[in-house]
Amino acid sequence: MAGDAATFPWPASVPELDAVFAQIVGTEEGRSNPYPGYERLRSVAPVYRSGLGFTACTRYEECEIVLRDPRFGKDERDRRDALEERFGDLEMFPPEFLDMSRERRSMLFLNPPDHTRLRSLVNRAFTPRTVEHLRPQIASLVDGLLDELAEGEPVDVMDKLAFPLPVAVIGRMLGVPERDWRHFREVMGRATALLEPVISPEELGHAIQAQGELEAYFHGLVAERRARPGDDLVSSLIAVQEGTDKLTELELIGIAILIFGAGFETTTNLIGNGLLALLTHPEEMARLRDNPGLLRSAVDELLRYDSPVQFDGRLALEDSVVAGVPVKAHEEIITILGAANRDPAHFSDPDRLDLERDQGPPLSFAAGIHFCLGAPLARAEGQVFFGRLIERFRSIELATDTPVFRNRITLRGLSTLPVIVRS
Ligand code: HEM
């Protein structure tokens, strides 16, 4: 089908909805509580075409369709074109950043067959069965962190628990030495700004620099493991690379960076957002204390209620139609997972936190071929963490009336979460 307006009419954009969208992504108030804005988008036009050139989906059903349908995929166009479209000119970008050879892209940004090839190399390390064996190790990491927590005075959960646990779990799996873990909180924080829908030139510069630092670090780690292999995922990927022609050096480094970053940035925010939700719903916290059997459904409900990943998206690979809205090839479609998870057509009374909810999984791990590789691991970490935490402390109190969220929307999380614990 031709892409011009005569044969493929674009629906008019809805300026009112663009204003709501801008309020969500572009203001501190919107980012710290996007849910009223999502509700407005969902009720006026669940799939709407923005004057800014993308289409946004806010309901569960359409988000899931877009995430699962192979007509929507990742943007594999030359990075120059995509950046020029977004930022106007390319002067601010270092040449190595513009060099977006396919080899530099991680599976998260690729379509089949490359996506399938890369994902299949690491799939086995993250299956539910493999992850079950990690539970005792996760429990002992959690217990070690809880042992160190000062009682009776404010402590920052983000700093003392929410970051250190996931980085230790994924750092050990990958073979990243413990002395380096802490440093990555700041570096990865800068790098992931690239996933945001709105980014200042300054943040962009910092993010590009962080990306370079990550590549340099993992180059070094791969060289070290090549010389002295260990019992870790980087060493087994090196063995795959040497034994077959299935993996280039840049791809290997890309996988390591992706798994390391995805492994802690998001799970950190499952712990932070999840604990905040429990602390602001004491009746649900009490229910969980009385019935630890609820841990599995509780973690899925915490993921739904305040998802660590709020925005996801695809590129239309051909002209198509989503819920009656025509979408052109190369158009970006934003799937707002945080809005889909509060869709009343899918979850009854969606603004209520209900740890016993049994209405199917949230879209927090997305769907389709890019469904989160680490979902079983993230769930296991969440279940073990909340289980041990409430078992250890008789009382956990929020030590602020105004928890502060980071200035982010795609990866939603708190900057600090001060609490007072007592055993
Ligand atoms: C609560 C924690 C987590 C959340 C909410 C989360 C969320 C997501 C989402 C929404 C995607 C899909 C992105 C897309 O559709 O393009 C994704 C992909 C991915 N996640 Fe997670 N994630 C979490 C934890 C983890 C962990 C612990 C790992 C560690 C291995 C991990 C590794 C990955 C990888 C490798 C992908 C790319 C998969 C692909 O492109 O096929 N994630 N995650």
Side-chain angles (χ1 to χ4, degrees):
M1 190 186 301
D4 63 52
T7 55
F8 198 80
W10 285 31
S13 70
V14 186
E16 184 217 331
L17 294 186
D18 274 345
V20 177
F21 189 87
Q23 192 268 346
I24 296 170
V25 303
T27 68
E28 210 176 304
E29 190 196 348
R31 284 187 293 254
S32 61
N33 180 14
Y35 296 106
Y38 292 161
E39 219 252 301
R40 183 89 193 119
L41 294 180
R42 225 177 18 235
S43 59
V44 177
V47 175
Y48 97 94
R49 187 153 202 300
S50 158
L52 305 169
F54 59 81
T55 293
C57 300
T58 50
R59 284 204 323 202
Y60 193 103
E61 192 186 336
E62 286 87 15
C63 284
E64 193 183 15
I65 287 172
V66 168
L67 292 169
R68 287 189 187 279
D69 188 329
R71 287 177 305 166
F72 307 107
K74 297 290 179 156
D75 189 352
E76 290 188 338
R77 288 173 305 169
D78 187 85
R79 183 178 253 188
R80 284 168 187 278
D81 295 344
L83 288 171
E84 207 161 15
E85 206 174 289
R86 188 166 168 194
F87 294 100
D89 73 65
L90 300 174
E91 247 169 52
M92 65 185 120
F93 300 102
E96 64 277 14
F97 186 73
L98 293 175
D99 163 29
M100 197 49 184
S101 64
R102 286 174 67 83
E103 279 184 29
R104 261 182 203 282
R105 301 183 195 205
S106 70
M107 72 181 98
L108 182 59
F109 302 109
L110 288 167
N111 297 319
D114 285 330
H115 169 264
T116 326
R117 172 175 58 87
L118 296 177
R119 185 157 168 142
S120 70
L121 296 175
V122 282
N123 232 341
R124 251 196 344 207
F126 296 97
T127 60
R129 182 192 279 245
T130 316
V131 166
E132 274 316 295
H133 295 297
L134 295 176
R135 279 183 187 257
Q137 209 185 92
I138 298 172
S140 86
L141 281 167
V142 173
D143 289 346
L145 293 168
L146 297 180
D147 285 343
E148 309 238 308
L149 221 54
E151 296 194 27
E153 60 185 76
V155 287
D156 177 16
V157 168
M158 300 314 290
D159 192 49
K160 301 287 183 209
L161 305 172
F163 168 72
L165 174 66
V167 82
V169 172
I170 204 69
R172 280 191 188 173
M173 281 180 89
L174 277 169
V176 175
E178 184 170 349
R179 61 172 183 273
D180 299 329
W181 295 346
R182 190 147 275 279
H183 166 69
F184 281 111
R185 184 173 177 194
E186 184 274 327
V187 180
M188 206 58 91
R190 267 189 287 140
T192 51
L194 287 170
L195 300 172
E196 290 296 304
V198 177
I199 180 170
S200 70
E202 195 189 0
E203 279 178 313
L204 181 66
H206 291 154
I208 292 172
Q209 198 181 3
Q211 193 83 20
E213 290 169 36
L214 287 167
E215 281 199 20
Y217 177 87
F218 279 91
H219 257 293
L221 186 69
V222 167
E224 221 175 284
R225 288 292 177 279
R226 185 165 279 129
R228 275 178 304 280
D231 180 17
D232 55 63
L233 200 54
V234 167
S235 301
S236 38
L237 286 170
I238 292 170
V240 168
Q241 190 200 21
E242 288 172 352
T244 67
D245 57 359
K246 277 190 177 169
L247 185 65
T248 69
E249 183 81 0
L250 280 178
E251 286 173 340
L252 200 174
I253 288 162
I255 292 183
I257 295 175
L258 171 68
I259 290 182
F260 189 51
F264 73 81
E265 271 282 308
T266 46
T267 315
T268 294
N269 297 326
L270 160 61
I271 292 174
N273 300 359
L275 185 57
L276 178 63
L278 288 174
L279 292 171
T280 48
H281 295 80
E283 67 300 337
E284 288 300 293
M285 175 80 106
R287 222 165 142 203
L288 190 56
R289 275 186 190 285
D290 292 345
N291 184 3
L294 288 184
L295 273 168
R296 277 175 199 265
S297 67
V299 165
D300 269 30
E301 175 66 350
L302 295 172
L303 282 162
R304 181 195 73 81
Y305 186 77
D306 204 7
S307 179
V309 180
Q310 295 275 318
F311 276 48
D312 198 356
R314 295 290 182 265
L315 193 80
L317 301 178
E318 54 187 83
D319 292 349
S320 56
V321 176
V322 181
V325 177
V327 175
K328 274 190 164 187
H330 301 312
E331 192 175 316
E332 195 187 343
I333 308 186
I334 297 181
T335 49
I336 307 186
L337 307 180
N341 284 342
R342 300 273 189 117
D343 176 3
H346 195 89
F347 297 105
S348 56
D349 202 359
D351 293 330
R352 205 178 116 220
L353 182 74
D354 173 4
L355 300 186
E356 238 174 312
R357 192 182 284 279
D358 182 17
Q359 292 174 311
L363 275 187
S364 312
F365 294 120
I369 62 167
H370 293 279
F371 179 80
C372 176
L373 176 76
L377 180 61
R379 285 185 162 123
E381 288 182 50
Q383 291 157 10
V384 171
F385 171 78
F386 287 108
R388 307 301 271 206
L389 178 78
I390 55 179
E391 198 181 308
R392 171 74 70 97
F393 298 113
R394 155 181 67 83
S395 142
I396 308 164
E397 271 171 62
L398 194 54
T400 173
D401 293 333
T402 48
V404 178
F405 279 88
R406 297 190 308 171
N407 210 6
R408 293 288 175 82
I409 185 77
T410 301
L411 300 184
R412 173 171 168 82
L414 292 153
S415 331
T416 60
L417 179 58
V419 303
I420 299 175
V421 296
R422 293 190 176 85
S423 50

